[in-house]
Structure formats: C-alpha cells, structure tokens
Amino acid sequence: MNDENDAPVAVIGLGLMGQALAGAFLKAGHPTTVWNRTTAKADRLVAAGARLAPTVGDALRADSVTIICLTDYQAVRELLAAADAELDGTTLINLTSGDSTQAREAARWAEQRGARYLDGAIMAIPSVIGTAEAVILHSGPQPDFAAHESTLDALGTVTYLGADHGLAALYDVAGLAMMWSVLNAWLQGTALLRTAGVDAATYAPFAQQIAAGVAGWLPGYAEQIDSGSYPAEVSALETDARAMAHLIEESEAVGVNAELPRLIKAMADRSIAAGHGGEQYPVLIEEFARPRNG
C-alpha cells in the first residue's frame, strides 16, 4: 500500500459531489488535476491549488488514480469514448451512481481498454466528504484497491466489499431500501400520533428507541436467513399478521393512509398461505426474494 499522501489524483466531473471530492484530496495534500465540461466549476479548486486539465485525455495519466463522478454510467462511457482517451495503464475509480449491472459492464468496458477499474458508491452528502462520517464503498480487484487505499482515505471512511464490481452498487441500493423503510415507518407513526395532537418532535425520541431495538435483532435474524431455518423464538408470523391488521384498522379509523401497512400485511398473508405462519418474521425473505409482477 502506498503510504504517501502526495500521490497524484485526477477528478473528472465537478458537480457538487465532484467538487467536494477534489477539495478533500487537495486538503490532504494530493496534487489534484480536475476536468469538467463547464470549466468555470473548476475556478474555486484551481484557486485552491488544483490543476485544470484542458482535455479529458490530459486528466488521465498512468501514474495517477482518476476519480469519475458524473450523472450516470452512460455519461461516463460516452465521455471517455468521445474524448478518444487513452486508458491503457490507467486506474479508474468510478463513483458515479448506478446499478450493479452497469457497474459490471463498465468494468468490462474499461478493462478491455487496458484500464484497472474499481467501482464505488458514496454514502454521504457533499458537505461531509473528507470526514469520517463520509462512507465510501469500493468493489473490484483487491490489489487495485489496496494500491490506492491510502489515497482514498482522504475522502472519508473507505470500505472494500469484494472483487465483484457490482457489490458497491448493490450495497448502495440496499442501504437506500433500509433508509426509506425506516423513514416511511416513522412517517406512518407520526401521521397516526398527530391525529391525537402529538407532534413529530415528541414522537421522534420514542421512534429512535424502537428503531435501535429492532436494529439489534438483525444479527440473530441474519443467522436464521443464512441457515434457512426460522423457529418462532420471539413471535410467529401469524401473530405478527394480527398486529398488522390492527395497524391497518387504526390507520383507517383515524383517517391516515394505510397503503404501507396493507403492503406489509399482503406479503405476510402470502407467506402464511404458503405454510409459514408458525415461523418467525425473517421467513418473509422468501417473499422479498421472489419477483412479483403486477
């Protein structure tokens, strides 16, 4: 692993996130080259010491790592192809948002042109880039990650997930599923309590306690999923389904939208109909793992 903090880097794409990435490298002492289609977006970085590359090809150098942060994977490929950039010998780390299929396709495309390629996902907002709060996920060949880990540390808490280039994108969307599910559950409860005059600020600490308690169940539930055995150690799914019905009834009675609890119960009902009513809640993984049309 390179322990030097003066390894050269390049950042292609200077939206809010790209500017934050380049700024973090500069602050950590890395000679930083930047490129953006609209060159004015580089002004603040150039004033801070960055070098503005006149072309995409000029930004790509075999002796540095190149971070790409554009709108989507199509833009990445179109930009590199249109620029007729020489990729042989370069190291590309693509932090553009996309899905796992796009990540794997981008890796094949880059590697066919002689580049070393890592895919990544930024689990942070621009303002926290460069701090431990910024979690940056990476996937691809482990030696390529190890060679640049000390450089990437400038961005925040870097995490290597594995050789499959699609893992970072999958972890990204899995995290989003968790985030939106927690927030939607909190909003459902907040809407219910508001009908009794309880404001969101009053409910929030109680909701935090519930969320933290449920999070504590995850390792044990994970063991059940990985073993494929779901003994009802705490509660059977059919018991949970009765509580779901109560949530639906309460929502409807006080005039609150019941779409979310109805969806949850519909999945539980299907699992119970398939003979899993006496098993514990994680057995619903079978419903989540099964594609459903319509």
Side-chain angles (χ1 to χ4, degrees):
M1 182 187 299
N2 185 357
D3 293 326
E4 300 299 324
N5 70 346
D6 60 354
V9 298
V11 178
I12 293 177
L14 298 178
L16 292 176
M17 186 60 77
Q19 290 182 48
L21 297 172
F25 284 127
L26 284 169
K27 186 176 180 180
H30 294 279
T32 304
T33 297
V34 296
W35 183 91
N36 193 71
R37 196 179 302 277
T38 304
T39 58
K41 290 188 176 182
D43 289 349
R44 181 181 61 82
L45 293 165
V46 170
R51 169 183 172 269
L52 177 62
T55 66
V56 173
D58 184 70
L60 295 163
R61 292 165 42 192
D63 64 341
S64 69
V65 60
T66 299
I67 308 295
I68 305 175
C69 188
L70 300 179
T71 54
D72 54 41
Y73 280 74
Q74 182 176 348
V76 172
R77 188 177 301 189
E78 288 178 352
L79 178 66
L80 295 178
D84 196 25
E86 177 57 55
L87 299 182
D88 190 31
T90 63
T91 298
L92 305 179
I93 301 181
N94 188 8
L95 299 183
T96 300
S97 295
D99 62 41
S100 59
T101 298
Q102 291 172 320
R104 294 177 185 118
E105 290 175 346
R108 285 192 293 270
W109 185 88
E111 290 170 351
Q112 286 169 358
R113 287 157 180 78
R116 291 178 291 276
Y117 181 94
L118 292 169
D119 207 83
I122 302 171
M123 310 297 287
I125 58 176
S127 61
V128 301
I129 295 297
T131 73
E133 188 179 342
V135 175
I136 318 291
L137 308 177
H138 298 275
S139 53
Q142 196 278 335
D144 294 337
F145 173 77
H148 301 288
E149 183 177 3
S150 61
T151 298
L152 295 170
D153 280 341
L155 302 181
T157 302
V158 297
T159 302
Y160 176 71
L161 300 173
D164 177 358
H165 286 96
L167 281 174
L170 281 173
Y171 266 77
D172 184 20
V173 294
L176 292 175
M178 192 78 186
M179 177 186 73
W180 287 323
S181 295
V182 171
L183 287 174
N184 286 339
W186 174 67
L187 291 171
Q188 180 81 35
T190 299
L192 284 165
L193 286 167
R194 283 175 59 184
T195 67
V198 179
D199 61 22
T202 299
Y203 173 50
F206 176 80
Q208 280 185 300
Q209 186 177 18
I210 294 295
V214 172
W217 302 346
L218 299 184
Y221 279 9
E223 289 181 8
Q224 289 194 343
I225 290 171
D226 291 342
S227 68
S229 177
Y230 311 96
E233 299 166 345
V234 177
S235 176
L237 183 60
E238 57 192 7
T239 302
D240 292 328
R242 288 195 289 272
M244 294 171 194
H246 176 58
L247 173 57
I248 295 168
E249 291 161 4
E250 183 70 51
S251 298
E252 292 174 339
V254 298
V256 168
N257 190 307
E259 288 177 86
L260 179 59
R262 282 198 203 99
L263 173 61
I264 296 168
K265 188 171 185 300
M267 297 184 76
D269 286 343
R270 289 197 299 270
S271 186
I272 292 169
H276 301 297
E279 296 177 274
Q280 195 155 264
Y281 199 86
V283 74
L284 280 178
I285 188 65
E286 305 300 336
E287 292 298 317
F288 280 96
R290 182 181 298 116
R292 182 171 175 82
N293 298 322

